């Protein structure tokens, strides 16, 4: 599989303000937002699949994808004669997740309006999000698996990750661990390499299953037992 490289302007503008406005403009279209939200499941999609989820014509989708590519929001991967699109990285997923939180209208008493299943457990690019993920994060803080600011695993936390089988990258190219603001819960869940390691474990153990084409995940019967035992999460 090869990356399709998209060239940026040959003479990039030195103005941070202009660069920010270009990215904001690329996100401003509802159809492009639909495409980006679909890619938040962490998987690669074809243009045809993205046109279906956005409800637009294939020719229109091509133009939107070119705009997203040129602004570094998505990447294109070539496999044979097929092209697959995915988010440019976890930093873009974090941007979108934060934007979702900002976009929700402030209320005196916060009441999420998102579907219950989606709010309970979903993917946030390559890690777990939603009410379930927030509960796991709270448990890790209480049990001192995490430093108080959530930006690092403690030695005890690393030992527990090893014990449960969550494999950490010894030299991660991203933050080893970080709090990620959950847009539906307005609280933190686990991000960074540690969040990815946990998500990978949950999938490998089949404690959660993914819903094809959607960000929602389902906790299996075995997962309910395991998550209750490991993180004290009551899933009844």
């Amino acid at each position: 599989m090869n990356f399709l490289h998209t060239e940026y302007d040959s003479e990039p503008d030195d103005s941070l303000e202009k660069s920010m406005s270009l990215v904001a403009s690329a996100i401003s279209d509802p159809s492009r937002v639909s495409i980006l939200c679909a890619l938040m499941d962490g998987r690669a999609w074809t243009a045809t699949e993205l046109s279906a989820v956005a409800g637009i014509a294939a020719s229109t989708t091509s133009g939107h994808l070119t705009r997203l590519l040129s602004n570094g929001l998505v990447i294109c991967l070539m496999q044979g004669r097929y092209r697959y699109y995915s988010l440019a990285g976890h930093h873009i997923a974090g941007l979108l997740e934060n934007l979702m939180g900002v976009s929700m209208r402030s209320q005196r008493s916060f009441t999420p309006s998102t579907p219950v299943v989606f709010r309970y457990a979903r993917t946030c690019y390559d890690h777990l999000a939603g009410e379930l993920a927030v509960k796991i994060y709270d448990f890790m803080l209480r049990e001192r698996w995490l430093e108080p600011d959530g930006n690092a695993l403690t030695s005890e936390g690393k030992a527990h990750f090893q014990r449960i089988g969550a494999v950490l990258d010894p030299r991660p190219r991203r933050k080893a661990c970080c709090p990620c603001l959950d847009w539906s819960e307005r609280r933190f869940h686990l991000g960074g390499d540690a969040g990815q390691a946990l998500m990978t474990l949950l999938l490998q153990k089949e404690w959660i299953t993914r819903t094809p084409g959607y960000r929602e995940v389902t906790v299996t019967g075995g997962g309910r037992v395991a998550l209750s035992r490991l993180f004290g999460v009551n899933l009844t």
Side-chain angles (χ1 to χ4, degrees):
M1 182 175 289
N2 299 314
F3 287 98
L4 177 66
H5 296 287
T6 301
E7 294 185 2
Y8 293 87
D9 294 339
S10 58
E11 296 181 1
D13 196 294
D14 292 333
S15 168
L16 176 61
E17 291 84 355
K18 183 175 181 179
S19 297
M20 291 175 65
S21 68
L22 288 174
V23 172
S25 177
I27 300 176
S28 65
D29 185 270
S31 294
R32 290 196 288 273
V33 170
S34 295
I35 290 172
L36 291 170
C37 287
L39 296 176
M40 280 286 286
D41 72 350
R43 290 175 284 195
W45 293 53
T46 66
T48 300
E49 292 169 335
L50 291 170
S51 66
V53 76
I56 54 179
S59 58
T60 305
T61 303
S62 178
H64 285 314
L65 288 169
T66 298
R67 182 75 175 276
L68 295 173
L69 279 164
S70 65
N71 284 278
L73 295 169
V74 302
I75 57 174
C76 181
L77 304 98
M78 301 283 291
Q79 187 170 32
R81 61 189 181 89
Y82 296 101
R83 295 186 178 188
Y84 296 89
Y85 297 87
S86 63
L87 291 184
H90 56 85
H91 59 297
I92 302 300
L95 171 66
L96 295 172
E97 188 81 0
N98 288 333
L99 183 59
M100 290 175 186
V102 172
S103 301
M104 294 183 71
R105 294 180 180 179
S106 299
Q107 302 177 9
R108 290 183 180 179
S109 178
F110 172 63
T111 303
S113 58
T114 47
V116 174
V117 175
F118 187 75
R119 193 169 71 240
Y120 182 71
R122 64 181 183 276
T123 58
C124 176
Y125 190 52
D126 61 0
H127 57 270
L128 189 66
E131 180 185 345
L132 174 60
V134 168
K135 288 181 177 180
I136 292 175
Y137 183 84
D138 288 345
F139 169 87
M140 290 182 176
L141 280 177
R142 287 196 309 270
E143 298 300 316
R144 299 182 180 178
W145 290 26
L146 298 171
E147 296 291 348
D149 61 5
N151 283 311
L153 286 169
T154 62
S155 56
E156 183 177 1
K158 291 179 181 178
H160 279 292
F161 261 61
Q162 183 177 17
R163 178 177 59 81
I164 66 177
V167 181
L168 297 169
D169 188 341
R171 295 182 179 178
R173 299 175 61 184
R174 57 191 292 191
K175 289 183 178 179
C177 180
C178 66
C180 183
L181 183 62
D182 196 286
W183 70 268
S184 62
E185 296 300 310
R186 304 294 181 90
R187 294 159 63 196
F188 292 114
H189 59 247
L190 184 65
D193 180 63
Q196 180 183 27
L198 179 61
M199 177 74 169
T200 299
L201 173 70
L202 298 179
L203 289 169
Q204 288 178 341
K205 294 287 188 180
E206 297 185 348
W207 291 339
I208 62 172
T209 58
R210 306 181 72 163
T211 303
Y214 297 90
R215 290 176 61 193
E216 293 90 340
V217 300
T218 301
V219 181
T220 64
R224 290 176 180 273
V225 175
L227 293 174
S228 176
R229 174 173 55 84
L230 295 175
F231 306 112
V233 178
N234 186 352
L235 299 175
T236 59

